[in-house]
Amino acid sequence: MNEKPKKLDFNRAQLRFVVTRFAAAISLWGRATGKSSIISWLILMIIKLMPRSKWIILGSTFQQLLTVTLPSTIGALARLGLYKDVHYFVGRRPPKTWKGIEPYEPPLKYDHCIYFWKEGVVFQLVSQDGGATSARGGNFDGIIADESLLINKDQYDREVFPTKRGNRRYFRKIPLHHGEFHFSSMPYDASHWLLKGGAYYLKDNYDFVSLQNELIELQLKFIDNKDHEFRSKLWIDINRISKELTFYAERKTDEKTGKPKPGLFYSEANAFENLKNLGIGYLEQQRESLTEYVFLTEVLNQRPGKVEAGFYPTLDLKRHAYNQYENDAYLEGLNYNFEKISSQDSRMDGDCVSTQPLRLGVDWGAKISSLTVAQHLDPEYRFLKGFYVKHPKLISDLADLFCDYYAYHLNKKVFFLPDKEHGDHRRADSKLSYNQQFMECLKKRGWTVVKVELGRMPRHQARYHLAHEMFSEKNPRLPKVRFNKVHCKDVLTALTMAPVKEGRDGQIAKDKSSEGRASTPAQEATHYTDTVDLHLVSIDKHVIRRGGNFSDLVIVSR
């Protein structure tokens, strides 16, 4: 390890975090803004200022911690000159001859810990799915949470928050002690608890949201227009608004002394803050490969909009979305081998039953083609994962994504729910329709494909009532529909953002106008919902129905 640590070169968002005095933080930063680097810097400060402390690193799932949080954090720590198996160990103690110092309250086992042995600081990996360790009953000096948008807040308040206790005699003068530090990309839900962290700005009559929206609008124009002169002029306005947009810690007063004390520091930032390191080519590539809505939300960090009248009003994310079940035995068997961990497939997914067939619903589009994967596991109909490809990629690319991810699935049988609207079309250079091409791709990869004949798809009003009935869970004959919160994040976003309108004939209709407007942030949002509709209709026709139909549950006007 002769490599010298690089000189710290913070971008503006990171620098704000470093110089601001606070007791807790919510950092909603878009993709590639530098969250991993600032988490590593925070870890560095903790081991310097709070030796022998014990912290939680929290994730929604153990898989998330292993595949996302740990690899990026280890890489960022190396840039700070802290190396795995030298300065710290993951999942084990150092050799006994190294005589490592322990925290004031050491863990019973180090299986799920990052252990800085010289300073005696432990960061215990905790996940809400139980795949790592539980925080219950422990005493911790603070919490670092990654991708907090996926955290179940009720579970967090019940199991994690109360563990911030003790050790005041050692660390009472250090503001970081008992701190909560949430790092996340922008939530897709406008009512998400993380967004409420910025409420103190409104009390101060500072409307940072309007400035942020204005800035993102200019940044999007900058990416989309590659004319050098246009970009040069626009950059002046981007810089001006960037300087006007500022974030600061909540102003609080100590009740005993009357003196100011550190409060919550809420901040938002996007990849433009890191443009020096990324280059404009990165943003152009992300713009090309991601859907409009995902790009605006996850890269440019645009706040989610609200859909007042949705097509799926009885969908409740607290009820219908679950934290990913992990295949703990498989993940533990990888033994923190990050080369193996980086190659993700369905063996990591404990919610997928490998001995049971899969059910696939597709939607073919000119701009984007979508696929949702589900299983009927009585009493649940479980949506496991969503896939999509953007033009010019199409059928074989989407099939390969599915086949690669489920290569180790034991039961190689799929029930295929075809796209009846566009799936029977074919390109001029092909004798096969889109649906037929997709089935052939799967067959070539060793899958047995059973095409489910759904007949003519019901009109939107019938689908609206069907979804209403399914998600309300008032009919005991129907399976409970559930979505993997992590692997179906885009699917859930599409469902919650799908608006409803009155059709020309006065019937309920799904508002799909966004699909034809390139300027609309959710331009591809409703495509995923059409694949979910296929699944719901198939539940009626092929899962619960044994003769009869759904006419007793839905009213179809003709």
Side-chain angles (χ1 to χ4, degrees):
M1 289 298 160
N2 296 322
E3 182 182 347
K4 293 182 179 180
K6 295 181 180 178
K7 180 182 178 182
L8 295 178
D9 187 13
F10 295 114
N11 62 43
R12 180 166 45 189
Q14 293 169 333
L15 194 58
R16 263 197 227 108
F17 189 96
V18 168
V19 302
T20 302
R21 190 168 181 264
F22 51 79
I26 295 177
S27 304
L28 300 187
W29 296 3
R31 190 181 297 186
T33 305
K35 291 192 292 289
S36 298
S37 295
I38 211 65
I39 289 174
S40 299
W41 176 85
L42 180 59
I43 288 174
L44 177 62
M45 291 301 100
I46 289 168
I47 64 175
K48 284 186 173 182
L49 298 174
M50 301 177 64
R52 300 191 67 187
S53 61
K54 185 174 66 174
W55 287 65
I56 287 174
I57 292 184
L58 177 68
S60 64
T61 70
F62 187 36
Q63 185 180 18
Q64 176 214 327
L65 289 171
L66 283 182
T67 61
V68 180
T69 304
L70 271 180
S72 58
T73 302
I74 287 171
L77 285 170
R79 293 193 293 274
L80 295 176
L82 298 172
Y83 298 99
K84 180 176 173 287
D85 298 332
V86 177
H87 300 95
Y88 63 93
F89 290 81
V90 179
R92 63 189 180 97
R93 297 169 180 263
K96 288 185 178 181
T97 55
W98 291 25
K99 298 180 180 179
I101 299 171
E102 288 198 321
Y104 290 115
E105 295 190 34
L108 295 177
K109 295 194 299 183
Y110 285 75
D111 296 11
H112 299 104
C113 294
I114 304 173
Y115 176 27
F116 288 84
W117 61 278
K118 286 185 178 179
E119 298 82 5
V121 177
V122 162
F123 295 88
Q124 190 163 319
L125 302 177
V126 173
S127 64
Q128 291 194 319
D129 65 344
T133 55
S134 170
R136 285 179 179 272
N139 295 325
F140 295 91
D141 296 301
I143 302 161
I144 298 173
D146 190 31
E147 280 305 280
S148 295
L149 83 163
L150 299 172
I151 296 297
N152 181 307
K153 185 61 162 59
D154 292 337
Q155 186 179 354
Y156 176 85
D157 291 340
R158 187 173 62 250
E159 297 178 1
V160 180
F161 181 82
T163 66
K164 297 187 307 163
R165 58 195 174 201
N167 286 342
R168 287 185 59 81
R169 62 188 180 278
Y170 304 117
F171 306 122
R172 66 180 182 277
K173 294 183 179 180
I174 299 174
L176 294 177
H177 190 226
H178 291 166
E180 298 173 80
F181 303 96
H182 291 278
F183 298 89
S184 181
S185 49
M186 183 61 68
Y188 283 74
D189 179 4
S191 62
H192 199 280
W193 62 273
L194 286 172
L195 296 171
K196 297 174 183 177
Y200 64 89
Y201 291 104
L202 296 178
K203 293 180 182 178
D204 294 345
N205 294 317
Y206 177 53
D207 185 10
F208 76 88
V209 176
S210 295
L211 280 174
Q212 190 88 299
N213 289 338
E214 186 180 353
L215 180 62
I216 290 171
E217 184 179 349
L218 295 178
Q219 291 170 337
L220 189 63
K221 290 179 180 178
F222 185 91
I223 295 168
D224 287 345
N225 193 317
K226 295 179 174 57
D227 180 77
H228 180 73
E229 185 177 350
F230 177 85
R231 282 182 168 178
S232 296
K233 292 179 180 179
L234 198 62
W235 190 253
I236 296 173
D237 291 330
I238 289 174
N239 262 334
R240 174 180 56 81
I241 297 175
S242 295
K243 291 177 181 178
E244 293 178 21
L245 182 63
T246 186
F247 294 95
Y248 53 86
E250 183 179 11
R251 300 176 179 94
K252 285 199 165 188
T253 303
D254 191 299
E255 294 180 358
K256 292 183 179 179
T257 64
K259 295 180 180 179
K261 69 174 185 178
L264 171 69
F265 176 48
Y266 177 95
S267 67
E268 297 180 10
N270 68 26
F272 266 80
E273 299 283 5
N274 211 20
L275 200 58
K276 179 181 176 182
N277 294 320
L278 298 173
I280 190 61
Y282 170 83
L283 294 176
E284 292 171 345
Q285 184 272 330
Q286 292 289 295
R287 176 73 163 137
E288 182 68 25
S289 62
L290 299 174
T291 67
E292 179 93 356
Y293 190 80
V294 171
F295 178 78
L296 285 172
T297 305
E298 295 202 2
V299 179
L300 293 190
N301 212 44
Q302 185 177 73
R303 282 188 163 219
K306 293 183 179 180
V307 175
E308 301 298 337
F311 193 80
Y312 304 93
T314 53
L315 177 68
D316 182 353
L317 297 186
K318 288 185 178 180
R319 176 197 290 178
H320 297 111
Y322 60 87
N323 271 335
Q324 187 172 358
Y325 301 133
E326 307 293 353
N327 187 344
D328 295 339
Y330 178 75
L331 291 170
E332 293 281 2
L334 296 177
N335 198 28
Y336 297 102
N337 183 323
F338 293 104
E339 186 175 339
K340 292 181 179 179
I341 289 171
S342 65
S343 179
Q344 298 183 47
D345 58 62
S346 63
R347 288 176 295 179
M348 295 183 175
D349 303 337
D351 58 341
C352 176
V353 180
S354 189
T355 56
Q356 296 297 312
L358 301 170
R359 301 174 67 84
L360 314 183
V362 296
D363 181 87
W364 308 116
K367 295 178 180 178
I368 181 172
S369 294
S370 310
L371 163 69
T372 47
V373 182
Q375 282 186 317
H376 179 223
L377 303 167
D378 195 45
E380 291 184 353
Y381 192 92
R382 194 178 293 169
F383 284 83
L384 304 174
K385 192 168 177 64
F387 297 92
Y388 73 84
V389 293
K390 289 183 68 177
H391 180 78
K393 294 181 178 181
L394 190 58
I395 298 167
S396 61
D397 300 287
L398 191 60
D400 285 342
L401 283 178
F402 166 78
C403 292
D404 291 345
Y405 191 83
Y406 289 97
Y408 299 96
H409 194 79
L410 296 178
N411 190 321
K412 288 293 193 293
K413 181 179 181 179
V414 298
F415 291 96
F416 176 57
L417 314 176
D419 176 0
K420 298 299 292 184
E421 186 175 358
H422 302 292
D424 292 330
H425 298 172
R426 62 183 180 86
R427 288 170 32 174
D429 59 352
S430 176
K431 295 181 180 180
L432 299 178
S433 68
Y434 294 158
N435 287 331
Q436 290 170 335
Q437 288 183 58
F438 184 75
M439 289 190 290
E440 286 302 312
C441 288
L442 265 56
K443 290 175 183 177
K444 289 179 181 178
R445 295 285 297 267
W447 291 84
T448 299
V449 182
V450 178
K451 184 180 179 182
V452 179
E453 296 295 345
L454 297 175
R456 186 176 179 180
M457 279 294 286
R459 299 178 70 181
H460 282 176
Q461 176 153 313
R463 289 191 244 172
Y464 174 86
H465 285 293
L466 174 59
H468 192 285
E469 188 74 17
M470 291 281 187
F471 292 134
S472 66
E473 299 187 1
K474 293 180 179 179
N475 189 326
R477 292 175 59 239
L478 298 174
K480 298 181 185 300
V481 179
R482 295 292 183 264
F483 295 86
N484 184 304
K485 185 192 293 187
V486 177
H487 287 163
C488 293
K489 184 173 71 171
D490 293 341
V491 180
L492 289 168
T493 300
L495 293 170
T496 56
M497 294 296 293
V500 68
K501 68 177 183 179
E502 183 178 333
R504 292 179 181 178
D505 54 2
Q507 291 196 7
I508 293 171
K510 187 184 297 183
D511 187 351
K512 296 169 71 70
S513 60
S514 60
E515 293 180 12
R517 296 197 304 269
S519 60
T520 303
Q523 68 174 26
E524 286 103 9
T526 57
H527 289 284
Y528 258 136
T529 70
D530 289 341
T531 71
V532 174
D533 290 349
L534 288 171
H535 285 278
L536 299 186
V537 171
S538 80
I539 292 174
D540 169 35
K541 291 178 178 285
H542 298 278
V543 174
I544 66 159
R545 184 167 71 95
R546 298 295 180 265
N549 56 35
F550 226 122
S551 59
D552 60 325
L553 298 179
V554 299
I555 300 173
V556 182
S557 302
R558 296 187 183 278

